[in-house]
Amino acid sequence: MVDAAARGSLAMMARGGVTTAMDHHYVFPHGAGDLSGAIIGAARDMGVRFTLARGSMDRSEKDGGLPPDFAVETLDDALAATEETVRRHHDPSSDAMTQVAVAPCSPFSVSTGLLRDGAELARRLGVRLHTHGSETVEEEEFCHELFGMGPTDYFESTGWLGEDVWMAHCVHMNDSDIAAFARTRTGVAHCPSSNARLAAGIARVPDMLAAGVPVGLGVDGTASNESGELHTELRNALLVNRLGAHRESALNARQALRLGTHGGAQVLGRSAEIGSLEPGKLADLVLWRMDTLAHASIADPVTALVFGAAAPVTASFVHGRQIVENGRLLTADEDAIARATRDEARRLARIAARN
């Protein structure tokens, strides 16, 4: 089931122009098998660069957390499994196709011990750290009630601010939170469609960028984003942020495109190798066709790409290897992936109905 889900999501992203992706997988039920290996294998077959954020949870419902008991690991098991995943799959080289990050899920699903020990583990192994941060008002209330401080202060107290850290969402951030992220160069994965889908709020992306916070784009998962592809996030990042305090000056087309390219490379710690077209960087390149009816009346091609309808991908290359041609994957059978994804989604729905 995880294999099918990974292939379905990666296929949608790759055919729409994504060359580098990451996945935060944090549900590891006992006896489920090598879920990390399944996700990494799917990315390898698809031909995209990939970072697996090996997640973990040890604070279940019985401990006052969010996840059900069957979905959590013990602190020691989570750390051991994460370290094994790093040692088996992480490639530290500059042209790596697969990397691994240490990624306890969120303040309301992991213990303080797992956060602290996870940060120490990541830095001992020389890999990056990822988690959810400041996504909802409820998370803010949870942190104040349990720890006597807001999420950003709590993260800093556990070693979770730094240039080797990036967090998903960061919707509810005040001025001091943004200043702390900027001071420590902590990154943000902005997920505009998911935040709108869940009515979580509008992240202060223009203020983050002005302060010097690295910001990239994310889609979150299919539970809160039914499209999961690049163009939707480019367009929504621009439009949603214009609903905030900065209005039409919040973001322009080039700033939105930069979030999805150089910004993503920054938060993954790979801006020296990918994220922009420069001599000496890796051969990751996407070509969009901009002469279609949908874009005929838009003079500027970058504006057309971001503001306009989704443009067809003429070609996409990763590490010099072509993976998409004229909007179709060259590395996988899209129809077979669609069938497997549909079958597994229906199987999951039947299991959920029985329970």
Side-chain angles (χ1 to χ4, degrees):
M1 189 177 288
V2 169
D3 175 78
R7 290 176 191 276
S9 296
L10 286 163
M12 274 298 298
M13 288 191 286
R15 72 197 293 269
V18 170
T19 57
T20 299
M22 61 76 61
D23 181 39
H24 187 193
H25 189 87
Y26 46 80
V27 180
F28 292 89
H30 181 71
D34 184 10
L35 302 184
S36 295
I39 299 167
I40 289 170
R44 184 183 303 115
D45 292 346
M46 206 70 59
V48 299
R49 292 192 198 278
F50 187 67
T51 294
L52 175 73
R54 202 293 180 181
S56 53
M57 301 186 292
D58 70 339
R59 186 194 296 275
S60 68
E61 288 175 323
K62 66 177 174 54
D63 303 312
L66 182 67
D69 294 342
F70 78 86
V72 303
E73 303 170 280
T74 67
L75 186 153
D76 289 341
D77 286 347
L79 292 172
T82 300
E83 181 167 3
E84 176 63 18
T85 302
V86 172
R87 296 198 182 281
R88 286 183 58 191
H89 296 291
H90 180 72
D91 181 356
S93 62
S94 61
D95 63 350
M97 291 295 291
T98 304
Q99 295 196 331
V100 178
V102 175
C105 179
S106 64
F108 47 82
S109 62
V110 307
S111 65
T112 300
L114 183 51
L115 276 178
R116 284 189 177 135
D117 292 353
E120 292 174 3
L121 173 66
R123 287 167 181 139
R124 175 166 59 82
L125 297 177
V127 299
R128 296 181 73 75
L129 300 89
H130 177 65
T131 191
H132 291 78
S134 300
E135 181 179 6
T136 64
V137 173
E138 290 79 10
E139 180 182 336
E140 178 90 17
E141 294 170 349
F142 178 89
C143 288
H144 276 287
E145 181 180 336
L146 208 62
F147 312 120
M149 64 187 86
T152 299
D153 290 336
Y154 176 58
F155 282 129
E156 187 158 33
S157 75
T158 57
W160 271 81
L161 294 186
E163 61 183 0
D164 55 354
V165 180
W166 85 102
M167 299 188 195
H169 303 297
C170 297
V171 175
H172 298 280
M173 301 264 283
N174 59 32
D175 289 347
S176 64
D177 296 330
I178 292 175
F181 271 56
R183 170 174 48 81
T184 57
R185 299 290 293 167
T186 303
V188 172
H190 175 43
C191 305
S193 297
S194 172
N195 297 157
R197 173 76 164 81
L198 298 178
I202 302 173
R204 295 173 59 188
V205 172
D207 296 327
M208 294 179 194
L209 294 176
V213 177
V215 182
L217 282 183
V219 301
D220 208 336
T222 50
S224 62
N225 189 330
E226 286 84 352
S227 62
E229 50 84 42
L230 177 63
H231 174 263
T232 300
E233 303 311 317
L234 291 174
R235 193 168 191 268
N236 282 348
L238 189 150
L239 297 179
V240 167
N241 280 283
R242 288 187 172 200
L243 295 174
H246 296 277
R247 298 173 62 83
E248 65 273 13
S249 63
L251 292 176
N252 60 37
R254 280 164 172 75
Q255 288 171 316
L257 183 59
R258 189 172 176 83
L259 293 179
T261 52
H262 182 71
Q266 278 186 300
V267 300
L268 292 177
R270 306 202 64 180
S271 59
E273 306 99 45
I274 59 176
S276 58
L277 301 179
E278 300 178 56
K281 287 198 171 184
L282 301 175
D284 296 1
L285 173 70
V286 182
L287 303 177
W288 282 274
R289 183 179 172 187
M290 303 306 299
D291 62 351
T292 68
L293 175 63
H295 308 96
S297 63
I298 307 175
D300 177 62
V302 177
T303 299
L305 182 67
V306 177
F307 274 92
V313 174
T314 301
S316 179
F317 300 86
V318 180
H319 210 63
R321 175 195 182 196
Q322 188 169 359
I323 66 170
V324 177
E325 183 175 21
N326 294 325
R328 295 288 293 184
L329 287 170
L330 299 179
T331 54
D333 184 336
E334 291 184 25
D335 296 331
I337 290 174
R339 285 193 298 272
T341 303
R342 182 171 54 251
D343 290 346
E344 291 304 314
R346 289 173 176 172
R347 184 164 73 93
L348 180 61
R350 290 195 297 270
I351 293 171
R354 288 200 301 269
N355 295 331

